[in-house]
Amino acid sequence: MKSKTNFLFLFLFAVGGFVIAEEAKSQGPQPKVDERIELLGIVFRLAEVPGYQVLFKEYDEAINRHFAPFKTHPAVLAAKLLRGKAAAFTHAVHISIENGRVVLPNANSEKTLEKLVSTRFRQRAAELFVKQLDDFYVKSRFHEFFEANREKYRKTEQNFKAINDKIDYSWFKKFFGDVNLEHWHFVLTYIGDGGYGDFCCFKDGHKEYFVTLTVLGPDAHYPDEGGFTALVVHEFNHFFCNPIVEKYIDKLTPATERTFPFVSNNISYYYNGKTMPYEYLVRACMVRYLLHCGNKDEAKRQMLMDTRDGLFWMEELVELLGRYEKERDKYPTLAEFMPEIVKLQNEIVTDEYVAKLRKQSENRPKISKTNPPDKAKNINPALTEISITFDRPMMDILGWDTRNIGKKTFPERSKHSPPVWSNDKRTCTIHNVVLKPGKTYNILLNWDVRAENFCSTENIPLHPMRITFTTKAE
């Protein structure tokens, strides 16, 4: 009976290019490794929750050595129930580590807890999970592990400071209005995949904002620094854009729900018709930031990628936000300009517009099947070839994006031989694949606007696609 009660409480808890002036640099948050983020990340990594892999091999091995006896600890078992793309990082910003113990501060709100039950039960669930984390923290000697890796963290922080210094944090105040950077936090972690944003409310009314970015280790080289700066700006944009969109969501979703069936898997993998308005505004603001920095080529490329993915009126929205920047005397904040954005969207999405999208979608080549199947689990790591079959003959040119963009991992190969097409030009197979156990792989098709390599014989490109699968663990 006790275990069932604990399960209930845990279930209820489960929701949850320019270098700027030195003066401007000092105003922005500095990249730091946060012990709370590492604690929750490692717990979720031990629980084998998808999305919490560690690509920094030395660190992953250190985790296995130090925490091997604790893989069945109650906190780890609880993490299996609290599975979610950003669950660990969401919960981490709401706890504290004080005097060697993990606690749930009274000053924090309970915004991450499910609101289907009374406050008393939400609080009890939170207290139970924090007690389990505290027990894990103490018994596993987590702080010793954290201190043993302190030099790695310090070096990673120092390396990313050079990238972070290229972000013009003064833009946020110029674009959105009143911004207090004192409450912003830029967190680095070796666990996970990508960037996440969350905030914590306090009883005095202020909020602390956290952007967490997964990195590859202290000695990793990051040639595409612009990708990292863009990701950080993107995540901070969400903190401003989401509340604005929320107020107008009922007026925005009818248009996005009508057009969502025609977006690429690249977008539909993460969003739906009701969440698309948030992403529209965040990405359009991202382009305005790039233009502010004088990055016109990158801004244009970003708009092309967004439009091709299914954010169909991105160019029009970016242009409209340019008008907002010029008319700040009339619109002091983006929230006051939001009715103009709603008006633009609803003027664009007409019956004729939807019919045009439908015709374009029908004329594009489509994928009939893949091997392994998309989103498949427990794939045999002994598999040595991957294939994609299309619904029509295709041009027999290379169409695989093998770059590890943003740690979206493409399978390794023992020999880099070119892909092989079937006689009917419908199936493309890549050989000599080397898969590792318990790993999630991502294959990007026509991902980059500079490489629309999968095209039909009529030269119509495949919509951007992402195929993902996970191999069986050892």
Side-chain angles (χ1 to χ4, degrees), residues 115-257:
K115 296 183 179 180
L116 296 178
V117 293
S118 69
T119 301
R120 178 174 61 88
F121 280 105
R122 294 203 308 274
Q123 185 66 24
R124 289 177 64 184
E127 291 172 351
L128 173 61
F129 185 55
V130 171
K131 285 182 179 179
Q132 293 170 331
L133 284 174
D134 177 59
D135 188 72
F136 176 88
Y137 183 86
V138 173
K139 291 182 178 178
S140 70
R141 309 185 320 281
F142 184 88
H143 188 66
E144 291 182 22
F145 175 85
F146 189 80
E147 288 299 319
N149 289 277
R150 176 72 73 177
E151 183 57 26
K152 293 185 182 69
Y153 302 147
R154 186 202 63 76
K155 188 174 181 180
T156 301
E157 292 167 353
Q158 188 62 34
N159 287 346
F160 255 83
K161 185 179 184 304
I163 297 176
N164 187 57
D165 285 349
K166 296 181 180 180
I167 299 177
D168 186 355
Y169 283 101
S170 67
W171 173 82
F172 291 96
K173 186 179 181 71
K174 296 173 184 175
F175 190 84
F176 293 107
D178 187 27
V179 175
N180 189 347
L181 296 175
E182 291 181 5
H183 301 306
W184 288 24
H185 306 273
F186 179 15
V187 182
L188 304 175
T189 181
Y190 299 140
I191 304 168
D193 184 11
Y196 308 95
D198 214 320
F199 63 89
C200 186
C201 305
F202 287 81
K203 290 182 178 180
D204 63 5
H206 90 276
K207 296 179 181 179
E208 298 287 331
Y209 299 91
F210 297 82
V211 166
T212 301
L213 184 66
T214 303
V215 295
L216 304 180
D219 299 316
H221 177 57
Y222 303 96
D224 182 21
E225 294 181 355
F228 287 98
T229 57
L231 184 57
V232 175
V233 174
H234 176 104
E235 293 298 335
F236 277 119
N237 278 348
H238 270 294
F239 296 130
F240 300 99
C241 295
N242 286 10
I244 299 172
V245 172
E246 183 65 32
K247 294 180 180 180
Y248 294 88
I249 196 66
D250 292 339
K251 296 180 180 180
L252 292 166
T253 51
T256 51
E257 288 185 326

Side-chain angles (χ1 to χ4, degrees), residues 250-417:
D250 292 339
K251 296 180 180 180
L252 292 166
T253 51
T256 51
E257 288 185 326
R258 294 188 70 189
T259 59
F260 189 75
F262 311 110
V263 308
S264 71
N265 286 354
N266 206 17
I267 292 289
S268 62
Y269 188 80
Y270 295 106
Y271 305 101
N272 56 50
K274 292 184 178 180
T275 57
M276 286 293 285
Y278 298 93
E279 196 63 13
Y280 255 115
L281 188 57
V282 165
R283 294 199 186 191
C285 292
M286 178 73 240
V287 174
R288 295 310 309 182
Y289 170 81
L290 292 172
L291 292 171
H292 161 79
C293 294
N295 250 331
K296 293 183 179 181
D297 290 342
E298 180 61 24
K300 182 178 180 180
R301 190 179 77 89
Q302 188 64 51
M303 278 192 292
L304 285 172
M305 292 180 66
D306 290 340
T307 302
R308 201 183 66 180
D309 280 346
L311 300 176
F312 299 111
W313 48 92
M314 179 58 67
E315 290 187 36
E316 291 88 342
L317 180 53
V318 169
E319 184 179 350
L320 184 66
L321 289 177
R323 197 189 106 198
Y324 158 69
E325 290 179 329
K326 294 177 182 178
E327 300 180 6
R328 296 300 295 277
D329 55 336
K330 185 177 179 180
Y331 304 102
T333 67
L334 187 58
E336 293 171 278
F337 189 73
M338 196 63 191
E340 296 298 312
I341 295 176
V342 175
K343 179 182 177 182
L344 170 73
Q345 176 182 281
N346 294 333
E347 286 178 348
I348 291 176
V349 184
T350 61
D351 291 343
E352 293 78 12
Y353 186 82
V354 175
K356 178 182 177 181
L357 293 178
R358 182 176 292 109
K359 185 177 181 179
Q360 289 176 344
S361 179
E362 291 171 351
N363 288 337
R364 285 184 182 272
K366 297 176 178 58
I367 292 177
S368 300
K369 67 177 180 179
T370 65
N371 181 38
D374 186 27
K375 301 181 179 63
K377 308 290 184 183
N378 296 318
I379 295 299
N380 187 347
L383 184 73
T384 60
E385 63 180 45
I386 297 172
S387 65
I388 301 175
T389 301
F390 299 89
D391 67 343
R392 68 196 72 185
M394 304 289 284
M395 292 184 178
D396 54 349
I397 57 178
L398 178 64
W400 304 82
D401 192 341
T402 60
R403 297 170 297 163
N404 288 331
I405 301 176
K407 303 173 291 303
K408 305 294 187 296
T409 53
F410 189 93
E412 296 178 6
R413 285 177 288 167
S414 59
K415 180 181 179 182
H416 288 267
S417 56

